[in-house]
């Protein structure tokens, strides 16, 4: 069963703490941080946390202490302004300062945005391009009533990395799903090969699935690997 494997990664969460994200929405944002952390392996993952409004706030460097990370999220508080540009740049800084020498983990930045950028979309897009140039995958979420959806779609590293969630209560489950997708690599196709010893002969008609037979070598080709794994059965005779 090798339909998916878990890969280590560093993730920086950058959350909008503008007035547009206030009220009960901010409580669900706190829960989303906890949900994200609970969905990854702390032995293979480090998470950092940045909040932004008119200025950035570094709430947690990259850490494996997820209890401390959840506690840091309690500092969320709605304030005037929404400077996404400095939030992104602070997220990049957190990533740079928290990486271990020779660290080859995947690098991810998750942006939760609920309002338009004070400096307009162009400067925020430029900041994201700088992050992508450093090898950071950007996941963008339109999570508030005033989010610039077009800008966030352009920020996301791919169409699959953009999400829109207007219902605040769904943010924790969305972040759990995102965390799982970051650390999982799906096997989309593969071949399985086995070579029989000279003392055994393959029994034709005995195998499921049916292999390609070349001498003593049996090969099974799969364009799509079964999500629940695969059992191959075949018969031999001395």
């Amino acid at each position: 069963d090798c339909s998916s494997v878990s890969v280590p990664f560093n993730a920086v969460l950058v959350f909008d703490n503008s007035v547009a994200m206030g009220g009960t929405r901010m409580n669900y944002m706190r829960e989303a941080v906890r949900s994200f952390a609970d969905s990854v392996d702390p032995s293979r993952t480090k998470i950092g946390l940045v909040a932004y409004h008119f200025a950035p706030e570094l709430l947690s460097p990259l850490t494996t202490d997820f209890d401390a990370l959840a506690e840091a999220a309690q500092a969320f508080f709605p304030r005037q302004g929404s400077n996404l540009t400095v939030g992104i740049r602070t997220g990049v800084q957190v990533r740079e300062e928290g990486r271990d020498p020779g660290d080859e983990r995947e690098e991810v930045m998750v942006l939760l945005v609920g309002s338009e950028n004070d400096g307009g979309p162009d400067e925020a897009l430029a900041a994201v391009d700088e992050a992508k140039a450093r090898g950071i995958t950007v996941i963008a979420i339109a999570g508030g009533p005033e989010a610039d959806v077009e800008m966030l779609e352009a920020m996301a590293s791919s169409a699959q990395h953009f999400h829109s969630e207007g219902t605040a209560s769904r943010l924790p489950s969305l972040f759990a799903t995102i965390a799982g997708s970051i650390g999982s690599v799906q096997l989309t196709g593969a071949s399985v090969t086995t070579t029989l010893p000279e003392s055994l002969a393959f029994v034709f008609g005995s195998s499921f699935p049916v292999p390609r037979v070349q001498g003593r070598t049996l090969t099974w080709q799969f364009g799509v690997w079964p999500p629940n794994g695969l059992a191959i059965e075949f018969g031999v005779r001395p």
Side-chain angles (χ1 to χ4, degrees), residues 9 12 58 96 108 110 150 178:
F9 65 92
V12 181
L58 171 56
E96 294 295 327
V108 181
V110 183
E150 184 176 343
I178 290 172

Side-chain angles (χ1 to χ4, degrees), residues 196 200-208 218 220 233-237:
L196 300 177
L200 294 176
F202 174 66
V203 177
F204 284 88
S206 67
S207 178
F208 182 81
L218 313 178
W220 293 263
E233 298 177 357
F234 61 92
V236 297
R237 62 171 175 262

Side-chain angles (χ1 to χ4, degrees), residues 29-225:
M29 289 165 54
R30 298 184 182 100
E31 292 181 21
V33 173
R34 177 85 260 184
S35 181
F36 187 93
D38 286 345
S39 302
V40 300
D41 181 352
S43 69
R44 299 167 64 82
T45 308
K46 294 196 291 186
I47 305 173
L49 182 61
V50 173
Y52 72 91
H53 32 86
F54 66 87
E57 292 184 68
L58 171 56
L59 299 183
S60 174
L62 286 176
T63 182
T64 57
D65 186 346
F66 294 162
D67 288 334
L69 180 77
E71 183 62 29
Q74 299 305 309
F76 287 164
F77 188 81
R79 293 178 174 85
Q80 294 295 326
S82 181
N83 193 335
L84 174 58
T85 303
V86 296
I88 293 168
R89 289 174 177 164
T90 303
V92 172
Q93 182 180 352
V94 169
R95 174 258 195 181
E96 294 295 327
E97 294 178 353
R99 297 180 72 213
D100 298 324
D103 194 345
E104 296 183 355
R105 301 185 191 202
E106 297 291 325
E107 305 285 348
V108 181
M109 183 182 297
V110 183
L111 306 175
L112 176 61
V113 181
S115 50
E116 295 182 353
N117 183 47
D118 287 346
D122 290 345
E123 69 170 28
L125 286 166
V128 159
D129 287 343
E130 293 173 8
K132 291 176 180 176
R134 295 173 181 261
I136 300 175
T137 298
V138 177
I139 299 173
I141 305 167
E146 301 172 14
D148 186 336
V149 173
E150 184 176 343
M151 176 189 72
L152 293 171
E153 287 179 324
M155 286 183 168
S157 290
S158 73
Q160 288 72 35
H161 291 99
F162 170 75
H163 304 270
S164 181
E165 183 52 78
T167 304
S169 61
R170 295 176 181 168
L171 287 176
S173 61
L174 173 61
F175 270 78
T177 299
I178 290 172
S181 67
I182 294 172
S184 177
V185 176
Q186 298 295 322
L187 181 63
T188 58
S191 64
V192 176
T193 301
T194 188
T195 301
L196 300 177
E198 292 184 4
S199 60
L200 294 176
F202 174 66
V203 177
F204 284 88
S206 67
S207 178
F208 182 81
V210 178
R212 178 184 181 187
V213 182
Q214 293 178 297
R216 298 193 312 275
T217 299
L218 313 178
T219 302
W220 293 263
Q221 293 282 356
F222 301 94
V224 178
W225 194 262

